[in-house]
Amino acid sequence: MFQPKQMSKLLIVASKQQLEPIVTELYRMNIFHIDDYVEKGDDQWEGFKIGMPLKGADTISSSLVKIRSIASAFGIGSEQLDDVAKAKVQALKQSIEKDLPAIADEVEHLLSQRSKLEASIKEYEQKIEALRPFTGAPFPMELLTGYDSISCIAGTVKSKPVISVSHELWENQQKNGMFITVAVRNEDLAAVEKSLLDLQLQKVAIPAETGSASALIADYEQKIAGIHKEIEQISAQMATIREKHQYFLMSSEELLTADIEQAEAPLRFATTDLAFAVVGWVPTEQVTKVYETLDRVCAGKVYTTELEVEDYNDGPPVEYNNPDFSHPTELFMDIYSRPKYTEVDPTLLMSIVYPIMFGLILGDVGYGLILLAMSFGLRSMVKGSEAGNQLMNVLRNCSISSIIFGVIFSEFFGFSLPWGPLWFSRHIPIGATAEGAHHASAIPQLLVVSIWIGILHITLGRIWGALNASRMEHGHHKSLKMYANIGWILVMWGIIVLIWSKFPIMLMPDLTKMPELAGGLNVATIAGAVMLVLGLALIARENALDLMEVPTIISHVLSYTRLIAVGLSSVAIALVTNFISIGLIINPQLANLTPVGVVLIIVGVVVFLFGHALNTALGILGGGLHPLRLHYVEFFTKFYRGGGKKYNPFGMIRKLTEQN
């Protein structure tokens, strides 16, 4: 508990004759995390070099590229296939050899046709765009080009031009200015262009077309429509191919991915001309299985041994070792950083505390039921995504916590349940008839509870900080780190005891009445001062500059009051929504129902639904982000380092193909 799975480091050495069966068996077991061999030229690995892929890797890679290209064109993935029978490997390999080339050729031909047609559409669209300014011109386009002594200018100017030389002008007022075409003698061209530039001429190229612009545009639009029909036919053919071969393509992709990973595995091994060696990690509980399996497949012609590990801090990969209900929370750990092998893994604690914090913020049966429905209803949108499913499970756990705290707080969309609050009430009196007026709120008590959560959470973080230091540090620095964490605990609790000795606070020990020892100071005051001074000394012993961070103790503890403050804002929004929609709009109309009153009742219902929908969204954000912040910022910074390497065993979990 609170530790990753224990790992053992194995060295496997055998002759190259055993390379393929060992690779196949390691892949099948899917428990061996390979440490890639890197040529460093050290004495330990003298004579070894990186291995070469197994025979046939090029062919497998070529087929895999084809399949992935087709799958990409079809937009299909293995996550879209559920409840299908697993394909027989041998039969599938024969189909790949026999059917894949024909499918690839057909798809490639269709894709090529579609690309050509799409290029044609773009070409016609560009022509239409070039012709559009000439729409309505009383002359065919061929009259604007092809002269030896006359030049034509086309473009947009801000106002009608006045041209002093002999010319032919056509003008057309458009949205972005006046479009003109001007025909002048070549010798007058420069002067005319200069005069037009004064009118901010924006020249356009004259299309080399024959016929009127309007007729040409209509013709091109007709051609585009025809091409779209051809593309639709091609898309229909591709949809048919996709429907027919989707399972074959995805199962082949899975099979060839497994084959290519095995074929290229020697690139991660150290090899000589006659032998190879590979180093990797397996869960300690699986070491015997590796020994026995490799001995069996190689008939004893393999040397496998467990290597001694000098420093566990950086070497072993990290595999979580948590109960099932904690697995969704591993998503939040990986977002922050996976723990190092030797440090405390807080996933289990976070999987318990995070939903509790969420429930404290959004403790309402109604909102909890909505979130619970969402956690199941949205699963189809994250189908095939491990992270998406983890997130939905976190939402499910948090919604259950919301419902439980809703029962405790007696809240249902801001209304009271038939029973009163089983714990402290969060109801706020809003409006003369609001339900919240029926229960006396206990906001100060709830704030004190949130401070207690902060004190205990941070204290645990510092204890784990000392524990991590004892595991991960060495020599003198180890004791400094450990005692510094103890110092932080003493400082925090020293401040707390000093406060308790001077001020009685509800739900906290009252130390103000303890007997005085000297100078009007009682036992608690002196004890708190001693703890504070001793703690400061221990912190300064490790790093004096850390004393500047001492004020953050108070701010970090008080930061936990957000659990109640954010929750109260949600309660207030719910109560105000109910008061406005029901108390001010619906109830008065029900007393004397009129046609106008019916409309107002509908408005009240809309306000009710919109207000609670908005409050649900805010509840998800507030309930989700604030507990996450308290863990990442206030809690993890006391002990957590992260940076662990993910355990990534050599192999795969087959979904569509049978294991050899």
Side-chain angles (χ1 to χ4, degrees), residues 121-347:
I121 288 177
K122 286 184 180 177
E123 182 183 348
Y124 288 137
E125 287 176 341
Q126 289 172 355
K127 288 184 176 182
I128 289 173
E129 196 61 28
L131 287 167
R132 201 172 295 283
F134 298 90
T135 305
F139 47 79
M141 295 300 298
E142 63 265 26
L143 289 184
L144 297 178
T145 57
Y147 303 107
D148 294 330
S149 58
I150 296 176
S151 296
C152 291
I153 304 170
T156 303
V157 292
K158 67 178 184 180
S159 60
K160 183 178 180 180
V162 178
I163 301 172
S164 57
V165 299
S166 177
H167 66 281
E168 287 289 339
L169 172 67
W170 175 73
E171 61 193 41
N172 183 23
Q173 186 63 45
Q174 297 179 350
K175 288 182 180 178
N176 57 344
M178 180 173 285
F179 185 78
I180 60 169
T181 60
V182 183
V184 296
R185 291 191 296 269
N186 290 343
E187 55 268 29
D188 298 327
L189 179 62
V192 172
E193 282 186 336
K194 185 178 179 182
S195 66
L196 292 175
L197 285 174
D198 293 338
L199 298 176
Q200 300 178 2
L201 171 69
Q202 296 179 6
K203 288 182 70 175
V204 299
I206 298 175
E209 301 276 6
T210 302
S212 73
S214 300
L216 286 166
I217 289 174
D219 181 52
Y220 289 143
E221 287 177 342
Q222 190 175 4
K223 287 179 178 177
I224 288 175
I227 293 174
H228 276 302
K229 288 183 180 177
E230 291 184 53
I231 291 177
E232 287 177 6
Q233 292 173 358
I234 291 175
S235 298
Q237 292 179 52
M238 291 185 66
T240 303
I241 296 173
R242 168 185 166 160
E243 188 66 26
K244 183 178 179 182
H245 298 296
Q246 182 177 7
Y247 172 70
F248 165 70
L249 291 170
M250 288 298 92
S251 56
S252 300
E253 197 269 346
E254 181 180 286
L255 174 65
L256 295 181
T257 298
D259 286 350
I260 196 65
E261 286 181 357
Q262 293 175 67
E264 293 180 347
L267 293 169
R268 309 169 71 182
F269 295 179
T271 63
T272 64
D273 292 338
L274 300 175
F276 75 93
V278 56
V279 176
W281 299 87
V282 296
T284 301
E285 66 210 28
Q286 305 272 18
V287 168
T288 304
K289 179 181 177 181
V290 175
Y291 274 84
E292 293 176 351
T293 305
L294 295 186
D295 268 346
R296 176 174 51 77
V297 298
C298 299
K301 298 175 183 177
V302 59
Y303 174 73
T304 308
T305 186
E306 186 172 347
L307 299 177
E308 185 179 348
V309 181
E310 296 179 357
D311 186 359
Y312 275 99
N313 279 340
D314 297 322
V318 175
E319 173 71 347
Y320 290 112
N321 186 25
N322 297 308
D324 289 345
F325 76 88
S326 295
H327 289 171
T329 313
E330 291 167 1
L331 172 68
F332 292 151
M333 295 305 304
D334 284 336
I335 290 174
Y336 188 85
S337 184
R338 186 167 286 223
K340 281 185 176 293
Y341 183 77
T342 50
E343 72 177 319
V344 174
D345 174 12
T347 309

Side-chain angles (χ1 to χ4, degrees), residues 533-546:
V533 173
L534 180 59
L536 292 173
L538 292 175
I539 295 170
R541 185 167 168 260
E542 198 249 338
N543 186 351
L545 292 177
D546 285 350

Side-chain angles (χ1 to χ4, degrees), residues 82-128:
D82 280 332
D83 301 326
V84 293
K86 290 186 176 181
K88 304 285 186 185
V89 169
Q90 198 55 40
L92 188 58
K93 285 186 175 179
Q94 292 175 357
S95 296
I96 291 173
E97 189 175 339
K98 178 183 173 185
D99 300 332
L100 180 60
I103 296 172
D105 288 345
E106 187 176 3
V107 172
E108 186 178 348
H109 174 68
L110 292 174
L111 288 174
S112 173
Q113 276 190 308
R114 190 170 70 179
S115 297
K116 288 179 182 176
L117 293 172
E118 289 172 344
S120 297
I121 288 177
K122 286 184 180 177
E123 182 183 348
Y124 288 137
E125 287 176 341
Q126 289 172 355
K127 288 184 176 182
I128 289 173

Side-chain angles (χ1 to χ4, degrees), residues 319-635:
E319 173 71 347
Y320 290 112
N321 186 25
N322 297 308
D324 289 345
F325 76 88
S326 295
H327 289 171
T329 313
E330 291 167 1
L331 172 68
F332 292 151
M333 295 305 304
D334 284 336
I335 290 174
Y336 188 85
S337 184
R338 186 167 286 223
K340 281 185 176 293
Y341 183 77
T342 50
E343 72 177 319
V344 174
D345 174 12
T347 309
L348 175 58
L349 180 76
M350 189 176 180
S351 67
I352 298 170
V353 175
Y354 182 86
I356 291 175
M357 290 181 171
F358 189 98
L360 276 171
I361 292 175
L362 195 65
D364 187 291
V365 176
Y367 297 136
L369 289 173
I370 290 177
L371 299 188
L372 187 61
M374 288 174 63
S375 69
F376 290 104
L378 296 177
R379 283 182 189 275
S380 59
M381 298 178 65
V382 297
K383 191 175 177 183
S385 167
E386 183 183 356
N389 281 306
Q390 285 178 301
L391 194 60
M392 289 302 106
N393 288 335
V394 170
L395 182 60
R396 177 201 61 201
N397 297 343
C398 290
S399 64
I400 293 172
S401 176
S402 283
I403 293 171
I404 293 173
F405 275 96
V407 171
I408 293 173
F409 289 138
S410 182
E411 292 180 18
F412 186 88
F413 291 120
F415 297 105
S416 289
L417 291 168
W419 57 85
L422 304 179
W423 197 36
F424 298 119
S425 172
R426 300 195 306 174
H427 291 265
I428 305 170
I430 294 178
T433 59
E435 290 288 333
H438 296 165
H439 307 294
S441 62
I443 296 172
Q445 291 88 336
L446 287 168
L447 289 172
V448 174
V449 169
S450 67
I451 290 175
W452 266 118
I453 294 173
I455 293 171
L456 297 177
H457 211 212
I458 291 174
T459 301
L460 179 61
R462 287 299 178 189
I463 292 173
W464 279 357
L467 186 61
N468 279 343
S470 70
R471 293 174 176 175
M472 305 177 73
E473 303 293 344
H474 302 284
H476 183 57
H477 195 59
K478 174 179 176 178
S479 64
L480 288 178
K481 277 279 186 186
M482 289 176 59
Y483 285 118
N485 277 287
I486 295 171
W488 282 105
I489 295 173
L490 289 173
V491 169
M492 185 177 75
W493 279 95
I495 294 172
I496 293 170
V497 171
L498 282 172
I499 294 172
W500 287 348
S501 69
K502 294 295 181 186
F503 307 101
I505 302 174
M506 64 178 74
L507 303 180
M508 288 188 171
D510 182 2
L511 305 182
T512 58
K513 298 176 182 176
M514 294 192 76
E516 294 184 0
L517 285 183
L521 302 177
N522 66 22
V523 176
T525 306
I526 295 173
V530 171
M531 291 168 66
L532 178 61
V533 173
L534 180 59
L536 292 173
L538 292 175
I539 295 170
R541 185 167 168 260
E542 198 249 338
N543 186 351
L545 292 177
D546 285 350
L547 294 175
M548 298 174 64
E549 300 292 327
V550 169
T552 61
I553 291 175
I554 297 173
S555 63
H556 282 187
V557 171
L558 293 179
S559 182
Y560 284 76
T561 57
R562 71 182 62 225
L563 294 172
I564 303 304
V566 177
L568 288 173
S569 68
S570 175
V571 173
I573 292 173
L575 292 173
V576 168
T577 299
N578 295 341
F579 178 64
I580 293 175
S581 60
I582 298 175
L584 297 183
I585 300 178
I586 296 177
N587 280 345
Q589 304 309 318
L590 290 175
N592 185 20
L593 198 60
T594 63
V596 176
V598 172
V599 174
L600 289 176
I601 289 173
I602 294 173
V603 171
V605 172
V606 171
V607 171
F608 181 86
L609 295 176
F610 177 76
H612 286 294
L614 177 65
N615 205 18
T616 303
L618 292 175
I620 294 174
L621 286 175
L625 293 180
H626 287 288
L628 205 58
R629 178 235 150 85
L630 290 175
H631 278 88
Y632 284 173
V633 178
E634 275 76 12
F635 185 50

